[in-house]
Amino acid sequence: MKRLLLLLLAISAICLPGYAPAHALDPGYLDLSSMGQEHWRVTWRVPDVNGRKMPIEARLPENCSQEPSPKPSFDGRAWTTSWVATCPGGLEGGVIEIAGLEQTRTETLVRYELEPGQTQVHRLTSTETAFTVPEDPGVLDIFSSYVALGVTHILEGLDHLLFVFALVLLIRDRSRLFWAITAFTLAHSITLASATLGWLNIPPPPVEAVIALSIVFLAYELSLSPENRDPLAVRSPWVVSFAFGLIHGLGFAGALREIGLPDGDIPLALFAFNIGVEFGQILFVVVVLSLGFAARLVYPAIKDRAVQLERVTSYGIGSLAAFWVIDRIAGF
């Protein structure tokens, strides 16, 4: 058993840092910014796959003509190009499609303006590759779109999920776990709203580095025996969770700023995005607890190996998070 643990630890230390991105495969991004007089500035960002563009194509409504687009440029993560499209009669009622998306495992975020400053967002996936631009998006459309964006962001954010996973492993008492998760939610809701509305402005690189540090802290605590852990983390884990939740909320806000908020419906979109983040978080916790329960049923002896497995897991989490810290500090 000791040899197996050492092998797993070695694999974690070697392989996990190689998985550098904190998020899954980047989504495609199509932005149509109104220039007035039936002209739109189109920006099309295509994910990179092994040094080549993902084979997807943005198709605008049939009434749109476009200038020849320049060759896309590679920024290290994706291929981006931009052009001007002319759409007589506007975008309303037209179909925007991402051809080839059905053959991928990613998504494309479409941000468009019916008029200058009137931002709307729609998310396309492999099961929904096109949509008709509504003349006046309703409350339900905005709410459902931003809830889906929130769920997607948390489930694709490995750094946020690792923090929550470490909390689940660290806090054995389920009532304390509930209050810790609630404190984390409350905290990230506060900073998410504050940063998104412009009341709080902190550059993203330090925020991302501290998010990674928060995971390192939990991984370190998890590697210790219960009697040697920080008394505050043991007695009042909600305090630790709340403090780090404030930082994670700034990370969520950065993602939401990139997405954009619909003018006139900012509170609704903000609330819906936060609901989506929370739903995705709860879903993740339920899955983790269910898998743990199933593992104990199938292999009862796992209880006797809990301490060793927990320590190996903490080393794996800590190794990956430490790599992110170094990588993000280097990117300042």
Side-chain angles (χ1 to χ4, degrees):
M1 184 62 184
K2 289 183 179 179
R3 292 182 179 179
L4 176 59
L5 290 174
L6 289 173
L7 177 61
L8 290 174
L9 177 58
I11 293 173
S12 299
I14 295 172
C15 297
L16 284 179
Y19 185 79
H23 293 268
L25 182 66
D26 286 344
Y29 182 73
L30 177 64
D31 181 79
L32 292 90
S33 298
S34 176
M35 303 169 63
Q37 299 181 347
E38 301 181 334
H39 297 296
W40 276 262
R41 166 66 61 182
V42 182
T43 301
W44 175 223
R45 190 171 187 269
V46 183
D48 177 74
V49 180
N50 298 323
R52 303 179 64 181
K53 292 192 305 177
M54 178 178 286
I56 56 176
E57 177 186 355
R59 294 180 180 174
L60 304 185
E62 292 182 354
N63 62 314
C64 295
S65 59
Q66 66 185 55
E67 299 176 358
S69 58
K71 291 184 178 180
S73 59
F74 183 58
D75 61 9
R77 295 182 62 176
W79 300 82
T80 304
T81 187
S82 181
W83 68 88
V84 175
T86 302
C87 305
L91 299 176
E92 297 93 330
V95 176
I96 295 178
E97 179 186 6
I98 306 300
L101 191 61
E102 69 280 358
Q103 299 177 5
T104 72
R105 291 184 296 173
T106 188
E107 60 189 36
T108 294
L109 185 66
V110 181
R111 179 181 179 274
Y112 61 95
E113 295 179 341
L114 298 179
E115 298 291 342
Q118 296 182 9
T119 304
Q120 303 295 337
V121 176
H122 194 92
R123 172 175 165 267
L124 293 177
T125 66
S126 59
T127 57
E128 183 197 3
T129 61
F131 75 102
T132 300
V133 179
E135 295 184 5
D136 184 20
V139 170
L140 184 59
D141 290 332
I142 295 173
F143 182 82
S144 59
S145 292
Y146 278 85
V147 167
L149 289 170
V151 172
T152 299
H153 179 72
I154 186 66
L155 293 183
E156 291 183 349
L158 182 57
D159 46 2
H160 300 298
L161 291 183
L162 274 183
F163 181 87
V164 176
F165 181 56
L167 276 181
V168 173
L169 295 179
L170 190 61
I171 306 172
R172 299 296 180 85
D173 185 278
R174 293 305 172 223
S175 63
R176 288 189 177 187
L177 175 63
F178 170 79
W179 288 114
I181 294 295
T182 301
F184 181 72
T185 299
L186 177 61
H188 74 60
S189 299
I190 292 172
T191 47
L192 171 60
S194 299
T196 304
L197 296 175
W199 302 339
L200 187 62
N201 187 18
I202 300 178
V207 170
E208 295 298 326
V210 175
I211 287 175
L213 274 173
S214 71
I215 304 169
V216 173
F217 172 79
L218 291 186
Y220 172 73
E221 290 296 317
L222 193 60
S223 69
L224 301 175
S225 58
E227 61 272 12
N228 292 325
R229 290 172 182 169
D230 188 292
L232 183 63
V234 174
R235 292 196 303 265
S236 303
W238 67 269
V239 175
V240 176
S241 182
F242 184 88
F244 285 130
L246 294 172
I247 303 299
H248 282 253
L250 294 173
F252 296 143
L256 191 54
R257 278 196 298 267
E258 292 180 3
I259 294 171
L261 292 168
D263 298 318
D265 291 296
I266 291 178
L268 174 64
L270 185 60
F271 174 73
F273 183 82
N274 202 56
I275 289 292
V277 168
E278 181 59 16
F279 180 78
Q281 185 175 278
I282 292 174
L283 178 62
F284 176 73
V285 171
V286 170
V287 169
V288 170
L289 293 177
S290 299
L291 289 176
F293 179 74
R296 288 192 295 271
L297 287 179
V298 175
Y299 185 55
I302 199 172
K303 294 180 181 179
D304 301 328
R305 311 294 188 195
V307 175
Q308 295 95 324
L309 291 174
E310 191 174 87
R311 181 162 295 179
V312 171
T313 302
S314 71
Y315 289 160
I317 294 173
S319 298
L320 182 53
F323 177 83
W324 286 336
V325 173
I326 297 171
D327 183 62
R328 292 170 181 182
I329 290 177
F332 280 10

